[in-house]
Amino acid sequence: MLELSLPVLLMLFLAAALAGWVDAVVGGGGLLLVPALLLGLPQHAPAYALGTNKATAIAGTSFAAVTYARRHPVDVRLALRFGALACVSSAVGASFATAVSKEVLQPLIMVLLLAVALFVVLRPSFGTQDSGRVASRRRSALALLVVGAGVGFYDGLLGPGTGTFLIIAFVGLLHMTMLSASATAKVVNVGTNLGALVAFSFHGTVLWQLAAGMAVFNIAGSWAGAHMALRRGSGFVRVVLLVVVAALVSRLAYDQWWA
C-alpha cells in the first residue's frame, strides 16, 4: 500500500486537475503531471512517474475525446486510423524509455518546439480559419507517418508536449483548424496513452491506486478545458498552445542545464 502525506496527495490531485485542463485544450499536461509525480514519489524510480502519469492521463484524455466528439465534428475514421498506429509506436517508445539519453534528446525537442512557436507567431491566421483545402493522399500518408509513428513513439518515450505536436501536425499537414485539430488529437492521444500504459504495466511501473484517485481530478480538469475550448474556438486554442510551448521549452531547458 502506497503511503503518502496529505499535502503530497493534494499537490498530486491539483496537478492532475490542471494537467487535464491543459491536455483538453491543447495538450502538454505531462509538463505538469510528470514533474509533480517525480517530486511526490522520490522513493520510486522515474519509470513509476511515467507509468502512473499514463494511467492518470488516459482517463482525462478519453473523457475529453468524447466531449469533443459530441460537440464538434470529428473525422472518427481518420482519428482511429492514426490512433491505432500511434498506440503501437507509443508502446515501442515506452519500451525504450529507460534506454535513451535525455541529455541528447531534449535539446532536439527544444529546437523543434521553438520552431513551432516561431511558425505560429509569424502566421497569426494559422489554424484559426477553415481554409477549405483538402489534403492530398501524399500529405495524408505523410501525416500518418509523422503522427502515427513519430509522435506516438515520442509519447511513449517521454510524453510532455504530445498533444501540441499532434495539433501542429494536423493543422500543417491536413489543413484542419486549431479546434478541429485539438478534437482529433484527443482521440489519437487516447491511443498513444494506451500503448504506453500497456508497456509500463508489463514492466510493473504503474501505481494503480494513486492513478485511480488522480484520474478523478484529471477528468474534472478535462471537462472544464474541453468546454472552454469549444466555447472560445480556435483563437483561444492558439493562444494556449503558445503558452504551453513556452512552458515546455523552459522546463526542458531547466532540466537540461540547471537541474
Side-chain angles (χ1 to χ4, degrees), residues 1-4 37-50 52 204-207 210:
M1 179 69 179
L2 182 65
E3 294 185 3
L4 298 173
L37 283 163
L38 289 171
L39 181 63
L41 303 171
Q43 71 277 28
H44 289 80
Y48 284 88
L50 296 174
T52 305
T205 55
V206 180
L207 301 173
L210 176 61

Side-chain angles (χ1 to χ4, degrees), residues 16-40:
L18 291 175
W21 188 92
V22 172
D23 262 336
V25 177
V26 75
L31 170 72
L32 298 170
L33 205 48
V34 173
L37 283 163
L38 289 171
L39 181 63

Side-chain angles (χ1 to χ4, degrees), residues 114-131 133 139 168-176 178 234-235 237-239 241-242:
L114 287 172
V116 165
L118 184 63
F119 180 78
V120 174
V121 167
L122 293 178
R123 295 188 60 182
S125 63
F126 180 71
T128 59
Q129 298 175 350
D130 189 351
S131 66
R133 297 166 63 190
R139 290 181 73 89
I168 291 298
F170 284 137
V171 174
L173 296 174
L174 299 182
H175 311 302
M176 293 182 179
M178 285 282 190
S234 292
V237 176
R238 178 179 181 274
V239 171
L241 183 145
L242 288 172

Side-chain angles (χ1 to χ4, degrees), residues 69-81:
R70 287 178 174 175
R71 299 276 300 276
H72 187 81
V74 177
D75 189 336
V76 177
R77 290 181 63 185
L78 178 145
L80 290 177
R81 188 166 68 247

Side-chain angles (χ1 to χ4, degrees), residues 83-96:
L85 178 57
C87 179
V88 175
S89 58
S90 179
V92 175
S95 298
F96 281 91

